[in-house]
């Protein structure tokens, strides 16, 4: 914790900058009312400026996937995939079905890899015995005497035993998760060549050869981790249900209005042709259904509506406005008008200045979705990725495979028999809250979802191999002028790439990953971003006072979104300001 603590009436200023156990340089600045055990005020900041939208201009469009994968060293493949989707649209391409199954398998492995390492080796440090005994010793004492309902699956007798298994560097499940992360990364590399910057994913298809051993090598690894996946779901359910019981009111930690966005994942090659005028249909055919949820209601599953509703606002961001510039795109291919604040028309004008929480304080812009029904610019969040994906898919009732099925109120996930555990059907049900615990719970269910869909994709790929349908690439030429947009789900949520081509070169390119949606500052209407909204006004349950406050409830709220702000930069603090820095990046390095 980097903290400047100052008694301001009854409020204490506290900041965590940078927040550890995430990627990047996120800062959370709060004012805490310890007398009433609540967070009175919260600002989310990033001192990071990357500029990809600036130096993409003038590049060969075919390089876009390789360049944009370097946006992130964690989910770079998601950027490559999304860029390829946008290029397929711009070039008028429909890749062969085998290419789509291979990409789907690679992206499924990525979800399993990233969600596992984040949930079990980073998020669960906040719920481990090592942390809970420092922040809520009474809760740990209760956990010691609480039987674990899922013991028959995961083998842990008490809730405290589960907490001990997540102790960093020591816990058995913590260490097993690291092994699973290695295996799932191998699965990814079988399909996309290199992690995390794919070497075999291109517009028009892939360079991976579809041979029988490709499928069997992936399948043997997948079957080898299914016991872990089944145990993980049971352990997560036990922990989160226990927290609700042990700390009445804990549902308010990280809670915000249900405003969720999902852009969909995993294409169905029998439907998807990447044409904009059929995007409504192939978007709804995705194996994760795109959609926007407002107050528990699914208001659209149409990618055309989702695309046209995107608005990039500034407000508290370190940028000058671009609305006086000429638009790049006035109408979409269906003739619908495109707003000047749409990513197709955005121009980036960085305007560095001193951070001021009353004015501008972050390099993150404020993406919003314009709700034509109300005229509101909605600060959608992704629920860390899995929460929104499961929520929209559950409500839509479209996905129906032998392994994953949407019921209209839940998602049923069927996993085959594994080494020690039998065939198992899991059910994620829509919860009453959008809060920290439910974002975290959804993550492990989506690992199971990804594993189940990987079995489905493997079967489809093997069918193609057996029938001789092994073509993986469609040739193409880059047009002189075109526009394209790609929609995908990065690990932690919505991802879109918007591209404009003129004279055969990139004239404008804007990628919008989940972090700007989740980590945005207050916009030009004064609406806080999701991190800020989830933390501000939430109660504090930690038993420590101001002098030894860890901020564990705040950290659980923020980390539940799976923050990722790549490539942090140093900030110059100036003369005359003293700070105290306490840095324990993996709590538990000195434990034991």
């Amino acid at each position: 914790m980097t903290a400047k603590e100052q008694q301001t009436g009854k409020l204490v200023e506290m900041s965590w900058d940078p927040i550890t156990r995430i990627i990047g340089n996120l800062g959370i600045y709060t004012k805490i009312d310890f007398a009433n055990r609540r967070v009175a005020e919260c600002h989310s900041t990033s001192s990071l400026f990357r500029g990809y939208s600036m130096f993409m201009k003038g590049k060969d469009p075919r390089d876009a996937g390789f360049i944009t994968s370097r946006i992130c060293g964690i989910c770079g493949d998601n950027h490559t995939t999304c860029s390829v989707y946008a290029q397929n649209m711009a070039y008028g391409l429909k890749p062969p079905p085998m290419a789509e199954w291979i990409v789907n398998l690679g992206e499924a492995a990525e979800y399993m890899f990233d969600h596992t390492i984040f949930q079990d080796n980073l998020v669960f440090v906040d719920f481990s015995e090592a942390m809970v005994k420092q922040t809520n010793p009474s809760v740990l004492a209760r956990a010691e005497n609480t039987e674990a309902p899922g013991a028959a699956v995961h083998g842990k007798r008490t809730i405290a035993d589960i907490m001990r298994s997540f102790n960093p560097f020591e816990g058995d499940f913590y260490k097993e998760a690291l092994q699973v992360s290695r295996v799932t990364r191998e699965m990814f590399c079988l399909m996309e060549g290199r992690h995390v910057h794919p070497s075999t994913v291109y517009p028009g298809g892939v360079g991976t050869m579809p041979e029988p051993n490709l499928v069997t090598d992936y399948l043997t690894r997948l079957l080898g981790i299914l016991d872990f996946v089944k145990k993980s779901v049971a352990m997560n359910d036990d922990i989160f249900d226990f927290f609700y019981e042990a700390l009445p009111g804990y549902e308010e930690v990280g809670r915000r209005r249900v405003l969720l966005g999902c852009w969909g994942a995993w294409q169905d090659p029998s439907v998807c042709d990447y044409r904009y005028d059929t995007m409504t249909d192939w978007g709804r055919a995705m194996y994760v259904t795109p959609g926007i949820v407002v107050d528990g209601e699914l208001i659209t599953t149409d990618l055309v509506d989702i695309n046209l509703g995107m608005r990039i606002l500034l407000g508290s961001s370190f940028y000058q406005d671009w609305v006086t510039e000429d638009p790049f795109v006035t109408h979409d291919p269906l003739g619908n008008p495109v707003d000047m604040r749409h990513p197709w028309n955005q121009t980036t004008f960085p305007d560095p200045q001193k951070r001021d929480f009353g004015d501008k304080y972050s390099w993150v812009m404020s993406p919003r979705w314009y709700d034509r029904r109300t005229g509101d610019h909605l600060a959608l969040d992704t629920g860390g990725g899995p929460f929104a994906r499961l929520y929209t898919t559950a409500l839509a009732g479209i996905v129906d495979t032998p392994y994953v099925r949407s019921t209209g109120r839940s998602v049923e996930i069927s996993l085959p028999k594994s080494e020690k555990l039998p065939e198992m059907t899991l059910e994620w049900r829509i919860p009453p809250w959008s809060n920290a615990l439910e974002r975290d719970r959804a993550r492990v269910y989506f690992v199971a979802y990804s594993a189940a869909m990987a079995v489905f994709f493997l079967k489809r790929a093997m069918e193609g191999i057996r029938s001789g349908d092994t073509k993986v690439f469609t040739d193409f030429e880059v047009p002189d002028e075109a526009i394209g947009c790609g929609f995908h789900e990065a690990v932690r949520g919505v991802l879109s790439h918007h591209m404009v081509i003129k004279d055969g070169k990139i004239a404008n390119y804007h990628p919008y990953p989940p972090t700007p949606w989740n980590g945005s500052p207050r916009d030009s209407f004064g609406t806080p971003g999701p991190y800020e909204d989830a933390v501000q006004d939430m109660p504090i349950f930690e038993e420590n006072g101001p002098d030894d406050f860890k901020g564990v409830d705040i950290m659980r709220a923020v980390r539940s979104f799976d923050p990722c702000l790549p490539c942090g930069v140093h900030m110059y603090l100036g003369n005359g300001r003293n700070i105290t820095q306490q840095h324990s990046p993996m709590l538990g390095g000195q434990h034991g």
Side-chain angles (χ1 to χ4, degrees):
M1 177 177 71
T2 302
K4 176 191 176 188
E5 302 179 11
Q6 175 184 345
Q7 197 74 24
T8 308
K10 293 184 178 180
L11 301 182
V12 178
E13 293 184 4
M14 286 192 167
S15 61
W16 292 261
D17 191 356
I19 290 183
T20 56
R21 280 184 273 127
I22 67 168
I23 304 303
N25 59 325
L26 172 66
I28 295 292
Y29 289 74
T30 66
K31 292 181 181 178
I32 300 177
D33 180 353
F34 279 98
N36 294 299
R37 310 297 294 175
R38 60 181 285 272
V39 180
E41 185 177 302
C42 177
H43 291 84
S44 169
T45 75
S46 173
S47 52
L48 166 67
F49 174 69
R50 313 248 4 246
Y52 270 79
S53 57
M54 300 175 70
F55 62 71
M56 289 292 289
K57 292 185 177 183
K59 298 291 193 299
D60 189 317
R62 293 169 294 185
D63 291 336
F66 297 105
I67 296 173
T68 57
S69 85
R70 272 69 183 178
I71 289 173
C72 184
I74 301 299
C75 56
D77 63 285
N78 301 144
H79 280 286
T80 297
T81 300
C82 195
S83 177
V84 163
Y85 289 167
Q87 291 179 71
N88 287 341
M89 181 182 290
Y91 309 156
L93 290 174
K94 176 176 169 56
M98 183 61 70
E100 296 287 16
W101 299 130
I102 287 172
V103 171
N104 286 354
L105 284 164
E107 295 303 277
E110 170 66 6
Y111 293 136
M112 288 183 269
F113 158 75
D114 198 319
H115 286 322
T116 294
I117 201 167
F118 183 72
Q119 183 84 339
D120 298 331
N121 301 122
L122 300 174
V123 162
F124 251 100
V125 172
D126 288 336
F127 296 91
S128 68
E129 177 204 41
M131 176 64 83
V132 176
K133 74 179 180 182
Q134 293 184 38
T135 60
N136 296 85
S138 66
V139 171
L140 180 58
R142 181 168 180 164
E144 295 283 7
N145 297 300
T146 302
E147 298 289 327
V153 176
H154 55 64
K156 307 297 181 186
R157 188 180 66 83
T158 68
I159 298 297
D161 290 335
I162 298 176
M163 292 178 174
R164 275 186 283 276
S165 74
F166 283 105
N167 278 343
F169 310 119
E170 299 175 347
D172 61 330
F173 212 72
Y174 179 97
K175 291 186 283 189
E176 187 176 354
L178 292 174
Q179 293 297 322
V180 169
S181 296
R182 177 183 62 81
V183 173
T184 47
R185 184 175 284 194
E186 291 173 353
M187 292 161 61
F188 174 91
C189 291
L190 286 168
M191 297 298 162
E192 298 194 29
R194 180 176 58 192
H195 194 275
V196 63
H197 308 302
S199 55
T200 60
V201 179
Y202 327 118
V206 299
T208 304
M209 297 304 295
E211 299 173 344
N213 67 315
L214 179 73
V215 174
T216 55
D217 285 352
Y218 188 106
L219 177 59
T220 54
R221 288 169 171 80
L222 175 61
L223 293 175
I225 67 168
L226 288 184
D227 278 345
F228 173 89
V229 174
K230 295 169 184 175
K231 290 188 296 181
S232 186
V233 171
M235 293 171 75
N236 277 251
D237 278 341
D238 284 356
I239 281 285
F240 299 135
D241 291 346
F242 168 78
F243 264 80
Y244 285 133
E245 178 187 347
L247 294 169
Y250 210 79
E251 67 273 7
E252 297 300 321
V253 170
R255 184 178 178 183
R256 70 185 302 258
R257 183 182 173 193
V258 181
L259 295 172
L260 300 171
C262 169
W263 295 173
W266 297 317
Q267 305 292 357
D268 181 347
S270 68
V271 181
C272 181
D273 60 8
Y274 293 101
R275 292 164 50 207
Y276 189 91
D277 56 359
T278 60
M279 187 163 68
T280 299
D281 295 331
W282 56 257
R284 287 176 176 152
M286 287 178 171
Y287 293 106
V288 169
T289 308
I292 291 172
V293 178
V294 178
D295 297 327
E297 177 189 356
L298 183 63
I299 64 171
T300 185
T301 57
D302 189 342
L303 280 180
V304 174
D305 287 345
I306 289 172
N307 176 52
L308 292 173
M310 293 180 67
R311 302 286 187 271
I312 310 303
L313 305 184
L314 293 179
S316 302
S317 312
F318 295 138
Y319 300 92
Q320 295 177 12
D321 212 339
W322 62 84
V323 292
T324 58
E325 303 291 306
D326 293 331
F328 289 92
V329 179
T330 59
H331 293 80
D332 73 358
L334 292 172
N336 300 305
V338 176
D339 193 84
M340 193 61 194
R341 294 199 177 279
H342 187 276
W344 267 330
N345 287 324
Q346 181 186 340
T347 301
T348 301
F349 295 121
D351 187 18
Q353 54 195 276
K354 183 178 179 180
R355 184 170 59 201
D356 179 357
F357 289 128
D359 188 13
K360 299 181 184 298
Y361 57 88
S362 182
W363 281 109
V364 178
M365 293 186 185
S366 296
R368 299 291 186 259
W369 192 77
Y370 179 69
D371 188 346
R372 289 179 296 176
R373 306 171 309 161
T374 62
D376 294 331
H377 290 77
L378 301 177
L380 301 178
D381 73 73
T382 73
F387 188 67
R389 289 196 281 271
L390 289 164
Y391 211 123
T392 59
T393 300
L395 286 176
I398 297 173
V399 173
D400 188 6
T401 75
Y403 301 96
V404 174
R405 187 175 75 90
S406 166
T407 70
R409 61 186 182 279
S410 67
V411 177
E412 294 178 349
I413 303 163
S414 297
L415 295 174
K417 182 180 183 299
S418 46
E419 182 181 359
K420 296 179 180 178
L421 294 172
E423 180 180 351
M424 192 174 292
T425 297
L426 309 170
E427 186 174 16
W428 180 88
R429 299 177 179 86
I430 295 174
W433 315 288
S434 175
N435 64 11
L437 294 187
E438 297 305 333
R439 291 182 204 108
D440 287 338
R441 188 198 302 266
R443 190 171 296 113
V444 72
Y445 272 88
F446 196 75
V447 172
Y449 190 127
S450 300
M453 287 309 304
V455 178
F456 178 79
F457 300 146
L458 283 169
K459 288 194 170 186
R460 291 292 180 267
M462 185 56 78
E463 288 169 2
I465 292 170
R466 287 171 177 162
S467 69
D469 185 12
T470 57
K471 184 180 178 182
V472 293
F473 186 74
T474 300
D475 204 2
F476 66 92
E477 293 184 2
V478 177
D480 286 338
E481 294 194 4
I483 60 173
C485 56
F487 291 93
H488 188 36
E489 282 286 302
V491 173
R492 44 207 48 83
V494 295
L495 176 61
S496 61
H497 281 221
H498 290 79
M499 179 171 67
V500 179
I501 298 173
K502 291 187 177 180
D503 299 323
K505 301 292 184 182
I506 294 175
N508 203 24
Y509 198 106
H510 285 277
Y512 267 93
T515 293
W517 290 90
N518 293 325
S520 61
R522 285 157 173 77
D523 62 28
S524 50
F525 296 100
T527 305
Y531 295 169
E532 298 176 327
D533 186 37
V535 172
Q536 192 160 285
D537 292 327
M538 70 171 238
I540 295 294
F541 289 84
E542 180 178 338
E543 295 170 25
N544 297 323
D547 293 337
D548 51 0
F549 188 65
K550 305 294 184 184
V552 67
D553 302 306
I554 295 169
M555 295 300 101
R556 285 174 184 152
V558 174
R559 290 192 183 109
S560 70
F561 288 96
D562 195 350
C564 186
L565 295 86
C567 302
V569 295
H570 294 285
M571 284 188 67
Y572 176 64
L573 297 174
N575 296 323
R577 179 181 175 193
N578 296 321
I579 64 170
T580 300
Q581 182 167 347
Q582 299 171 341
H583 186 61
S584 179
M586 284 300 293
L587 173 88
Q590 70 279 9
H591 175 60

